[in-house]
Amino acid sequence: MTQPDVVVVGAGVIGLSVALAAQAHGLRVKVIDRTGPAAGASAGNAGAFAFPDILPLASPGILRQAPKWLLDPLGPLSVPVGYAPRLVPWMWRFWRASRPECVRASTIAQTAMMRLAAQTLDPFLKRAGLSNMLRREGQLQVYEGAREFEASLPGWREREAKGVEFRHLKGDEIAQYQPGLSPRFTHAAFTPGWATIDDPEIYTVALADKVRSNGGEIVIAEAQALLPDGVRTSVGDMTGRVVLAAGAHSHRLARTANVRIPLETERGYNTTLPDTTFDLRQQITFSAHGFVISRLRSGLRVGGAVEMGGLDRPPNYARADAMLKKAKTFLPGLDITGGTQWMGFRPSLPDSLPAIGPLPGHPGVICAFGHGHLGLTQSTATAQIVADLLTGQTPGIDLAPFSPARFASAS
């Protein structure tokens, strides 16, 4: 291809969505990735467009639950002992972001991002020819007992205030939405605005195919350093404006430009079961246990939880086994044999908001990373925002809460 206008670093769902949006604005695009499309979290996620999920993880509620979770090495949250000292600066920022005034501001920003994501999804899928991959089945969040349900009510009131639609269920009502669920779950909430992609890996690969068919190029290469006019890679220097969308690896590349971003890695685990007999009607979230089960083209995926362990430690698949055993208890008719295990990296910033906008001191580099659990959900909104920035248009939401420069004073 001719010299690109834009070099996108990262061929996950964020990077490829950005590439397609940039092409729709008439820009020539080259995408680089060290392993190719859909090689990371974009392939192994739960497939959800979780638009109602507006509440930041950084919150007093999570801080209250964290000590209990950390006592269980296979529970919803774990920190390997050897990694804990490295996590202290990030956790300090997380604690500060959990103050009530910060949570209110983050919720407002996340709500705006989710609304933009919901507005952009259908037009994006239509342009990409992938509308048939979307399922609008909703999501069921389940609770064990009245006490657990009542503890969740402040969050539901906050969602209601922001216009999120949901229905609370109790007792026999739950079985109308999901047969076969253990009676230990006495309360639930159904959110109809939740959507699911048919299969996240197939979807992301299809985005890559569309980028190529639009005249874009996808190059297998490792990005090594940011340059004043582009990026240095393992196959040579590439010039053009740069979009940094390398997920959990993004902060390492930012550091080559002398910018430190407090990005941490939430290591997520799952097992994809070949079971096609269990009647899973929508994604189910087991809130107190930190995992979900979703129906994909490739099978039933049981996964979630958070292991704050960085990029280099070997996987601990006992965490995937623990979730699978719980899933069998919670859904007694589920066949948990023959599954395929996976571990991937979620890029997480301490205030639960992504970094979108110019890299501080480097206006030719646009950041698009740090979406945590919400990369797929916010992919089309991020793509639209970045395309606007690349073409000098005003984005549809206030970007101040997402600015990478918000961390400068704490670096």
PDB file of all heavy atoms in Angstrom, residues 11 24 27 37 39 58 83 224 241 251 254 257 315 319 328 341 387:
ATOM      1  N   ALA A  11      -3.807  -5.315  17.052  1.00  0.00           N
ATOM      2  CA  ALA A  11      -4.844  -5.893  16.197  1.00  0.00           C
ATOM      3  C   ALA A  11      -5.872  -6.648  17.011  1.00  0.00           C
ATOM      4  O   ALA A  11      -6.367  -7.704  16.609  1.00  0.00           O
ATOM      5  CB  ALA A  11      -4.212  -6.815  15.145  1.00  0.00           C
ATOM      6  N   ALA A  24     -13.287   4.629   7.288  1.00  0.00           N
ATOM      7  CA  ALA A  24     -14.575   5.236   6.945  1.00  0.00           C
ATOM      8  C   ALA A  24     -14.466   6.754   6.827  1.00  0.00           C
ATOM      9  O   ALA A  24     -15.282   7.390   6.155  1.00  0.00           O
ATOM     10  CB  ALA A  24     -15.624   4.869   7.997  1.00  0.00           C
ATOM     11  N   LEU A  27      -9.109   7.699   5.654  1.00  0.00           N
ATOM     12  CA  LEU A  27      -7.693   7.612   5.979  1.00  0.00           C
ATOM     13  C   LEU A  27      -7.101   6.272   5.550  1.00  0.00           C
ATOM     14  O   LEU A  27      -7.775   5.234   5.600  1.00  0.00           O
ATOM     15  CB  LEU A  27      -7.480   7.798   7.487  1.00  0.00           C
ATOM     16  CG  LEU A  27      -7.931   9.148   8.060  1.00  0.00           C
ATOM     17  CD1 LEU A  27      -7.780   9.156   9.577  1.00  0.00           C
ATOM     18  CD2 LEU A  27      -7.149  10.292   7.445  1.00  0.00           C
ATOM     19  N   PRO A  37      -4.149 -10.671  14.374  1.00  0.00           N
ATOM     20  CA  PRO A  37      -5.483 -10.333  14.878  1.00  0.00           C
ATOM     21  C   PRO A  37      -6.007 -11.330  15.906  1.00  0.00           C
ATOM     22  O   PRO A  37      -5.785 -12.542  15.791  1.00  0.00           O
ATOM     23  CB  PRO A  37      -6.354 -10.356  13.612  1.00  0.00           C
ATOM     24  CG  PRO A  37      -5.394 -10.087  12.493  1.00  0.00           C
ATOM     25  CD  PRO A  37      -4.117 -10.766  12.904  1.00  0.00           C
ATOM     26  N   ALA A  39      -5.345 -12.175  18.966  1.00  0.00           N
ATOM     27  CA  ALA A  39      -4.437 -13.095  19.653  1.00  0.00           C
ATOM     28  C   ALA A  39      -4.517 -12.991  21.169  1.00  0.00           C
ATOM     29  O   ALA A  39      -3.975 -13.840  21.871  1.00  0.00           O
ATOM     30  CB  ALA A  39      -2.993 -12.835  19.200  1.00  0.00           C
ATOM     31  N   ALA A  58     -13.456   0.773  40.635  1.00  0.00           N
ATOM     32  CA  ALA A  58     -12.889   1.556  41.736  1.00  0.00           C
ATOM     33  C   ALA A  58     -14.031   2.203  42.510  1.00  0.00           C
ATOM     34  O   ALA A  58     -14.612   3.201  42.079  1.00  0.00           O
ATOM     35  CB  ALA A  58     -11.939   2.615  41.191  1.00  0.00           C
ATOM     36  N   TYR A  83       4.083 -10.701  43.537  1.00  0.00           N
ATOM     37  CA  TYR A  83       3.764  -9.532  42.714  1.00  0.00           C
ATOM     38  C   TYR A  83       3.217  -8.375  43.549  1.00  0.00           C
ATOM     39  O   TYR A  83       3.195  -7.232  43.089  1.00  0.00           O
ATOM     40  CB  TYR A  83       2.735  -9.912  41.640  1.00  0.00           C
ATOM     41  CG  TYR A  83       2.611  -8.892  40.534  1.00  0.00           C
ATOM     42  CD1 TYR A  83       3.574  -8.807  39.532  1.00  0.00           C
ATOM     43  CD2 TYR A  83       1.540  -7.999  40.488  1.00  0.00           C
ATOM     44  CE1 TYR A  83       3.474  -7.875  38.515  1.00  0.00           C
ATOM     45  CE2 TYR A  83       1.432  -7.049  39.480  1.00  0.00           C
ATOM     46  CZ  TYR A  83       2.402  -7.002  38.488  1.00  0.00           C
ATOM     47  OH  TYR A  83       2.310  -6.068  37.496  1.00  0.00           O
ATOM     48  N   GLN A 224       8.475  -1.474  18.857  1.00  0.00           N
ATOM     49  CA  GLN A 224       9.576  -1.402  19.813  1.00  0.00           C
ATOM     50  C   GLN A 224       9.719  -0.047  20.487  1.00  0.00           C
ATOM     51  O   GLN A 224      10.130   0.032  21.641  1.00  0.00           O
ATOM     52  CB  GLN A 224      10.888  -1.768  19.096  1.00  0.00           C
ATOM     53  CG  GLN A 224      10.879  -3.186  18.546  1.00  0.00           C
ATOM     54  CD  GLN A 224      12.092  -3.503  17.700  1.00  0.00           C
ATOM     55  OE1 GLN A 224      12.674  -2.605  17.076  1.00  0.00           O
ATOM     56  NE2 GLN A 224      12.487  -4.752  17.662  1.00  0.00           N
ATOM     57  N   ARG A 241       0.736   9.100  11.749  1.00  0.00           N
ATOM     58  CA  ARG A 241       0.182   9.263  13.084  1.00  0.00           C
ATOM     59  C   ARG A 241      -0.032   7.882  13.691  1.00  0.00           C
ATOM     60  O   ARG A 241      -0.371   6.927  12.986  1.00  0.00           O
ATOM     61  CB  ARG A 241      -1.125  10.037  13.024  1.00  0.00           C
ATOM     62  CG  ARG A 241      -0.964  11.451  12.493  1.00  0.00           C
ATOM     63  CD  ARG A 241      -2.199  12.274  12.734  1.00  0.00           C
ATOM     64  NE  ARG A 241      -2.371  12.577  14.152  1.00  0.00           N
ATOM     65  CZ  ARG A 241      -3.412  13.256  14.635  1.00  0.00           C
ATOM     66  NH1 ARG A 241      -4.375  13.690  13.819  1.00  0.00           N
ATOM     67  NH2 ARG A 241      -3.513  13.518  15.924  1.00  0.00           N
ATOM     68  N   HIS A 251       1.423   0.395  27.983  1.00  0.00           N
ATOM     69  CA  HIS A 251       2.245   1.252  28.843  1.00  0.00           C
ATOM     70  C   HIS A 251       3.728   1.068  28.591  1.00  0.00           C
ATOM     71  O   HIS A 251       4.517   2.004  28.768  1.00  0.00           O
ATOM     72  CB  HIS A 251       1.908   1.002  30.314  1.00  0.00           C
ATOM     73  CG  HIS A 251       2.223  -0.377  30.804  1.00  0.00           C
ATOM     74  ND1 HIS A 251       1.798  -1.521  30.168  1.00  0.00           N
ATOM     75  CD2 HIS A 251       2.953  -0.800  31.883  1.00  0.00           C
ATOM     76  CE1 HIS A 251       2.219  -2.578  30.830  1.00  0.00           C
ATOM     77  NE2 HIS A 251       2.923  -2.170  31.861  1.00  0.00           N
ATOM     78  N   ALA A 254       4.476   3.266  25.683  1.00  0.00           N
ATOM     79  CA  ALA A 254       4.428   4.669  26.100  1.00  0.00           C
ATOM     80  C   ALA A 254       5.697   5.062  26.834  1.00  0.00           C
ATOM     81  O   ALA A 254       6.178   6.199  26.714  1.00  0.00           O
ATOM     82  CB  ALA A 254       3.201   4.908  26.986  1.00  0.00           C
ATOM     83  N   ALA A 257       8.556   6.684  25.091  1.00  0.00           N
ATOM     84  CA  ALA A 257       8.433   8.122  24.835  1.00  0.00           C
ATOM     85  C   ALA A 257       8.523   8.906  26.145  1.00  0.00           C
ATOM     86  O   ALA A 257       8.107  10.057  26.220  1.00  0.00           O
ATOM     87  CB  ALA A 257       7.107   8.409  24.137  1.00  0.00           C
ATOM     88  N   PRO A 315       0.494 -18.913  33.816  1.00  0.00           N
ATOM     89  CA  PRO A 315      -0.921 -19.010  34.208  1.00  0.00           C
ATOM     90  C   PRO A 315      -1.124 -19.950  35.391  1.00  0.00           C
ATOM     91  O   PRO A 315      -0.379 -20.909  35.579  1.00  0.00           O
ATOM     92  CB  PRO A 315      -1.603 -19.571  32.945  1.00  0.00           C
ATOM     93  CG  PRO A 315      -0.640 -19.336  31.832  1.00  0.00           C
ATOM     94  CD  PRO A 315       0.724 -19.400  32.437  1.00  0.00           C
ATOM     95  N   ARG A 319      -7.450 -21.500  38.847  1.00  0.00           N
ATOM     96  CA  ARG A 319      -8.497 -20.491  38.949  1.00  0.00           C
ATOM     97  C   ARG A 319      -9.639 -20.806  37.983  1.00  0.00           C
ATOM     98  O   ARG A 319     -10.815 -20.647  38.308  1.00  0.00           O
ATOM     99  CB  ARG A 319      -7.921 -19.102  38.680  1.00  0.00           C
ATOM    100  CG  ARG A 319      -6.930 -18.672  39.748  1.00  0.00           C
ATOM    101  CD  ARG A 319      -6.406 -17.264  39.522  1.00  0.00           C
ATOM    102  NE  ARG A 319      -7.458 -16.255  39.508  1.00  0.00           N
ATOM    103  CZ  ARG A 319      -8.090 -15.808  40.573  1.00  0.00           C
ATOM    104  NH1 ARG A 319      -7.794 -16.302  41.775  1.00  0.00           N
ATOM    105  NH2 ARG A 319      -9.023 -14.871  40.476  1.00  0.00           N
ATOM    106  N   LYS A 328     -20.874 -25.700  37.857  1.00  0.00           N
ATOM    107  CA  LYS A 328     -21.604 -26.967  37.920  1.00  0.00           C
ATOM    108  C   LYS A 328     -22.557 -26.984  39.109  1.00  0.00           C
ATOM    109  O   LYS A 328     -23.685 -27.505  39.007  1.00  0.00           O
ATOM    110  CB  LYS A 328     -20.610 -28.126  38.028  1.00  0.00           C
ATOM    111  CG  LYS A 328     -21.247 -29.506  38.180  1.00  0.00           C
ATOM    112  CD  LYS A 328     -22.080 -29.884  36.963  1.00  0.00           C
ATOM    113  CE  LYS A 328     -22.622 -31.285  37.095  1.00  0.00           C
ATOM    114  NZ  LYS A 328     -23.501 -31.657  35.948  1.00  0.00           N
ATOM    115  N   GLN A 341      -9.248 -24.437  28.185  1.00  0.00           N
ATOM    116  CA  GLN A 341      -8.908 -23.360  29.105  1.00  0.00           C
ATOM    117  C   GLN A 341      -8.140 -22.239  28.404  1.00  0.00           C
ATOM    118  O   GLN A 341      -7.468 -22.459  27.388  1.00  0.00           O
ATOM    119  CB  GLN A 341      -8.084 -23.895  30.274  1.00  0.00           C
ATOM    120  CG  GLN A 341      -8.860 -24.825  31.192  1.00  0.00           C
ATOM    121  CD  GLN A 341      -8.025 -25.329  32.351  1.00  0.00           C
ATOM    122  OE1 GLN A 341      -6.834 -25.587  32.209  1.00  0.00           O
ATOM    123  NE2 GLN A 341      -8.645 -25.465  33.511  1.00  0.00           N
ATOM    124  N   ALA A 387     -11.258   8.278  15.547  1.00  0.00           N
ATOM    125  CA  ALA A 387     -11.393   8.751  14.166  1.00  0.00           C
ATOM    126  C   ALA A 387     -11.682  10.248  14.134  1.00  0.00           C
ATOM    127  O   ALA A 387     -11.155  10.978  13.284  1.00  0.00           O
ATOM    128  CB  ALA A 387     -12.485   7.969  13.447  1.00  0.00           C
TER     129      ALA A 387
END
